[in-house]
């Protein structure tokens, strides 16, 4: 099942993102369930959130992944939304 994780950073928390980026990328590599991922960018090009496509068994697994992301554990996100996603192109 593909799940889109859309996370918005708390305002003014770019340093939190930068401080935890290495751990976040390692988590992606270790878990092996991320099909696609990248930062959301603001008007000035700064990272303001994340879009991650998870390939997991169910929504519970997606929530578990999201809860254990180093970014989430660091308190980076203002909001996190998990939505079932259907790949049509690409």
């Amino acid at each position: 099942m593909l799940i889109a994780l859309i996370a918005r950073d708390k305002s003014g928390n770019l340093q939190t993102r930068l401080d935890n980026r290495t751990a976040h990328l390692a988590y992606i590599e270790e878990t092996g369930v991320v099909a696609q991922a990248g930062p959301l960018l603001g008007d000035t090009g700064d990272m303001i959130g994340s879009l991650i496509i998870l390939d997991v068994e169910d929504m519970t697994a997606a929530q578990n992944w999201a809860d254990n992301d180093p970014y989430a554990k660091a308190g980076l996100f203002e909001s996190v939304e998990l939505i079932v996603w259907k790949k049509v192109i690409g």
Side-chain angles (χ1 to χ4, degrees), residues 23-85:
H24 167 74
L25 295 174
Y27 180 65
I28 288 174
E29 185 70 26
E30 291 165 11
T31 57
V33 298
V34 175
Q36 296 181 0
L40 301 174
L41 303 178
D43 293 340
T44 61
D46 287 337
M47 294 178 282
I48 60 164
S50 298
L51 171 60
I52 301 170
I53 305 298
L54 300 169
D55 189 354
V56 293
E57 186 174 323
D58 54 27
M59 189 61 79
T60 300
Q63 186 65 62
N64 183 58
W65 191 94
D67 291 344
N68 288 291
D69 180 356
Y71 281 165
K73 288 184 171 188
L76 174 62
F77 299 132
E78 180 175 309
S79 66
V80 175
E81 189 172 9
L82 296 169
I83 306 167
V84 176
W85 183 68

Side-chain angles (χ1 to χ4, degrees), residues 1-13:
M1 169 182 279
L2 296 175
I3 307 288
L5 183 158
I6 303 167
R8 303 269 181 184
D9 295 358
K10 292 176 184 171
S11 182
N13 271 348

